[in-house]
């Protein structure tokens, strides 16, 4: 029996496993070759691989451990160039230069998105606002939600989120599922009580939140403004009281003001105008020049007129005995447009005068002075 046959026979007899190059044997015994298992370095190439039963597992794409840590495996090789988020059977992990970084608390990405990392691992239970070197982000179930436009919280407060990211430049009023909030420097200011603005208007807030039940006054740009259902009735159209004339010359008494009242027809209601008593047939003058957009009868308003004055300002004249204009007609300030009556839901002869600014009713006394 030649030398190699003797070695093979000895290996089979002793249960030794032959892998790689054979080490020299002495005349007395054969040396067992160590089987590489797990993350190991190839002694010939000095490359690191994941071995299974002594062979590189080229199907492996995972995270596996060695005595120095946990490593990103790509096609069986330790991938020292990889920085990102990768998984094994225990979860998803943040990998830096091929190795799991258990000290990491950040927001990091892989091909599936950006993820919240806590102590090196993706926290899929997280619903919060968290940061990385690029900013602060809204996390939903562990992942950055780039579609989010809302107000969300973390341990430091509540924040305005725009497209998934905290907007620290924002000074506005913004909403989430709990209401509308005063945002200052991107953060909800729960100490704020007063008027604040967003693209939809000016709002009255209490303790940082819009109070939609509030009907009263609030100060805005140095003016005491009416507030209706939480919205400040303010216009910066360049108009002022001098631009409008009182529609009933000589009749200045107001029998029902703008605001909450008990109506004999409707009970408790919010009156969107002011009632000015005057004899039947008294001439009603246009408060300002404009275009008639309504001249009609309704069961509630009776004979009524609406004029568009431009700049978002409309006037309305209700309960007229008769009308003196038609839809589309241009009128000048002071033109007689109708006559006082008590048509519709009315208990006496009067004019119900109303002003709308950008579609919202405002107190007529903020727009015109009785005289």
């Amino acid at each position: 029996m030649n030398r190699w046959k003797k070695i093979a026979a000895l290996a089979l007899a002793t249960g030794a496993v032959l892998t790689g190059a054979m080490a020299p044997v002495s005349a007395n015994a054969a040396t067992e070759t160590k089987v590489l298992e797990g993350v190991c370095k190839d002694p010939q190439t000095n490359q690191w691989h994941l071995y299974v039963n002594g062979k590189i597992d080229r199907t492996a794409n995972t995270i596996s451990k060695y005595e120095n840590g946990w490593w990103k495996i790509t096609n069986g090789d330790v991938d020292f160039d990889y920085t990102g988020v990768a998984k094994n059977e225990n979860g998803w992990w943040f990998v830096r230069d091929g190795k799991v970084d258990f000290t990491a608390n950040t927001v990091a990405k892989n091909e599936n998105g950006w993820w919240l990392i806590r102590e090196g691992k993706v926290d899929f239970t997280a619903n919060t606002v968290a940061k990385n070197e690029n900013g602060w982000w809204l996390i939903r179930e562990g992942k950055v939600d780039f579609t989010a436009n809302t107000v969300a919280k973390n341990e430091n407060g509540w924040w305005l989120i725009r497209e998934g990211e905290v907007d620290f430049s924002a000074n506005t009023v913004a909403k989430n599922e709990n209401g509308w909030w005063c945002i200052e420097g991107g953060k909800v200011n729960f100490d704020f009580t007063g008027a604040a603005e967003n693209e939809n208007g000016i709002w009255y807030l209490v303790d940082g939140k819009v109070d939609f039940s509030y009907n009263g006054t609030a100060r805005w740009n140095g003016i005491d403004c009416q507030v209706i259902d939480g919205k400040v009735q303010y216009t910066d159209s360049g108009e002022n009281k001098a631009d409008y004339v009182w529609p009933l010359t000589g009749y200045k008494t107001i029998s029902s003001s703008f605001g909450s009242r008990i109506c004999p027809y409707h009970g408790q209601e919010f009156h969107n105008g002011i009632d000015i008593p005057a004899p039947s047939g008294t001439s009603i003058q246009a408060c300002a020049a404009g275009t008639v957009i309504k001249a009609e009868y309704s069961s509630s308003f009776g004979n009524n007129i609406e004029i568009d004055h431009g700049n978002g300002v409309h006037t309305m004249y209700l309960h007229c005995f008769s009308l003196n204009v038609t839809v589309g007609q241009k009128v000048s300030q002071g033109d007689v447009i109708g006559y006082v009556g008590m048509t519709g839901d009315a208990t006496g002869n009067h004019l119900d005068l109303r002003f709308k600014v950008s579609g919202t009713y405002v107190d007529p006394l903020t727009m015109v002075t009785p005289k």
Side-chain angles (χ1 to χ4, degrees):
M1 185 179 295
N2 63 35
R3 179 169 177 260
W4 287 106
K5 288 182 179 180
K6 288 180 181 179
I7 292 171
L10 180 61
L12 291 172
T14 61
V17 179
L18 300 178
T19 62
M22 293 298 301
V25 295
S26 67
N28 297 323
T31 301
E32 290 188 8
T33 302
K34 180 180 179 182
V35 177
L36 299 179
E37 191 69 31
V39 179
C40 303
K41 181 170 70 171
D42 186 324
Q44 295 180 351
T45 65
N46 289 326
Q47 301 298 310
W48 290 80
H49 310 284
L50 177 61
Y51 290 87
V52 177
N53 296 325
K55 294 183 178 180
I56 299 173
D57 182 1
R58 292 298 182 188
T59 67
N61 291 281
T62 187
I63 293 178
S64 190
K65 73 174 179 177
Y66 183 59
E67 60 263 27
N68 293 323
W70 290 77
W71 301 87
K72 172 70 171 76
I73 308 299
T74 302
N75 298 330
D77 300 328
V78 175
D79 187 353
F80 293 104
D81 294 325
Y82 185 86
T83 294
V85 179
K87 71 174 179 175
N88 66 1
E89 65 277 9
N90 300 313
W92 288 79
W93 307 89
F94 178 59
V95 178
R96 187 175 274 141
D97 296 329
K99 186 178 181 179
V100 174
D101 181 357
F102 292 103
T103 68
N105 292 283
T106 188
V107 178
K109 71 172 179 176
N110 66 1
E111 63 279 7
N112 299 314
W114 289 78
W115 306 90
L116 176 62
I117 309 298
R118 284 177 171 162
E119 296 181 353
K121 189 175 183 180
V122 174
D123 182 357
F124 291 104
T125 68
N127 292 282
T128 187
V129 178
K131 71 172 179 175
N132 65 2
E133 64 278 8
N134 299 314
W136 289 78
W137 307 90
L138 177 64
I139 308 297
R140 284 179 171 160
E141 296 181 351
K143 188 176 183 180
V144 175
D145 182 357
F146 290 104
T147 68
N149 293 281
T150 187
V151 177
K153 71 173 179 175
N154 65 2
E155 65 279 8
N156 299 313
W158 289 78
W159 306 89
L160 176 62
I161 309 297
R162 283 177 171 162
E163 296 182 353
E165 185 176 6
V166 175
D167 182 356
F168 291 103
S169 68
N171 294 283
T172 187
V173 177
K175 72 173 179 175
N176 66 1
E177 65 278 8
N178 300 312
W180 289 79
W181 306 91
C182 175
I183 307 297
E184 293 182 351
K187 188 176 183 179
V188 174
N189 180 4
F190 291 104
D191 295 326
F192 183 85
T193 294
E197 184 178 19
N198 67 2
E199 65 278 8
N200 299 313
I202 307 161
W203 306 92
Y204 184 74
L205 301 96
V206 176
D207 296 332
K209 186 177 182 180
V210 174
D211 181 358
F212 290 105
S213 68
Y214 181 76
N215 291 284
T217 60
R219 198 160 183 81
W220 181 255
N221 284 353
I223 300 173
D224 289 326
C225 302
Q226 189 78 24
V227 181
I228 303 173
D229 296 333
K231 190 171 185 180
V232 176
Q233 309 302 305
Y234 172 86
T235 179
D236 190 22
S237 65
E239 308 289 341
N240 55 53
K241 289 186 178 182
D243 294 313
Y244 300 94
V245 298
W246 191 248
L248 297 178
T249 302
Y251 297 94
K252 299 184 291 184
T253 300
I254 296 172
S255 60
S256 183
S257 300
F258 182 83
S260 296
R261 70 173 184 179
I262 303 295
C263 174
Y265 287 95
H266 311 118
Q268 183 69 46
E269 68 171 5
F270 194 93
H271 186 214
N272 289 314
I274 57 174
D275 289 346
I276 312 165
S280 178
T282 300
S283 295
I284 302 170
Q285 301 173 15
C287 292
T291 301
V292 177
I293 61 172
K294 284 184 182 178
E296 62 186 20
Y297 177 85
S298 78
S299 59
S300 178
F301 290 172
N303 293 315
N304 67 96
I305 301 164
E306 184 170 349
I307 300 174
D308 181 354
H309 302 288
N311 295 315
V313 179
H314 291 197
T315 53
M316 299 173 66
Y317 311 81
L318 313 184
H319 308 300
C320 303
F321 173 76
S322 62
L323 306 181
N324 197 40
V325 291
T326 57
V327 172
Q329 182 177 335
K330 303 290 185 181
V331 296
S332 299
Q333 187 176 60
D335 283 353
V336 175
I337 57 174
Y339 303 93
V340 171
M342 54 179 293
T343 57
D345 293 341
T347 58
N349 292 301
H350 73 284
L351 170 65
D352 184 342
L353 174 67
R354 303 188 179 193
F355 272 77
K356 288 194 292 187
V357 178
S358 299
T360 301
Y361 288 105
V362 302
D363 188 344
L365 296 181
T366 66
M367 305 295 290
V368 63
T369 300
K371 58 181 178 181

